[in-house]
Amino acid sequence: MLLIHCPYCQEDRPELEFRHAGEAHIARPANMAEMSDEDFERFFFIRSNPKGIVYERWRHIHGCARFFNAARDTVSDRFLTTYKAGEPKPGLGGEGN
């Protein structure tokens, strides 16, 4: 079982307490109503799926219930770091996105 560090609770908890919430650091378009269907599809549904380090949003649903970000290696499924929502993406090198 994976242990995930919650940056708000400041402790490592079992993965069963968390839910994946998609790719992190996605900027919402300012003019969403004016977007073409193709652009809206790309924004809403299409995400990168690289091999290596990815930045994801997670939610500690059985704890503080807060969203946070994590850098995870998709090859080893190892969490490299977690950080509070709104904080900048840490530079780790070898990043897929």
Side-chain angles (χ1 to χ4, degrees), residues 18-68:
F18 299 88
R19 289 295 178 268
H20 183 263
E23 194 174 334
H25 305 286
I26 302 294
R28 185 179 198 81
N31 61 344
M32 194 171 289
E34 300 169 14
M35 294 173 72
S36 70
D37 289 345
E38 293 79 19
D39 289 340
F40 182 78
E41 176 190 25
R42 260 191 301 286
F43 163 73
F44 204 71
F45 296 109
I46 308 300
R47 295 291 180 247
S48 61
N49 189 19
K51 181 178 181 180
I53 299 172
V54 295
Y55 293 90
E56 303 169 320
R57 287 175 44 91
W58 286 79
R59 185 172 184 204
H60 192 181
I61 60 167
H62 295 295
C64 64
R66 296 182 79 174
F67 284 95
F68 62 92

Side-chain angles (χ1 to χ4, degrees), residues 7 11 40 50 69 80 83:
E11 61 182 343
F40 182 78
N69 294 328
L80 305 174
Y83 53 102

Side-chain angles (χ1 to χ4, degrees), residues 72-88:
R72 183 176 64 86
D73 186 341
T74 61
V75 176
S76 65
D77 203 25
R78 194 181 103 207
F79 282 79
L80 305 174
T81 188
T82 59
Y83 53 102
K84 295 177 181 178
E87 291 181 354

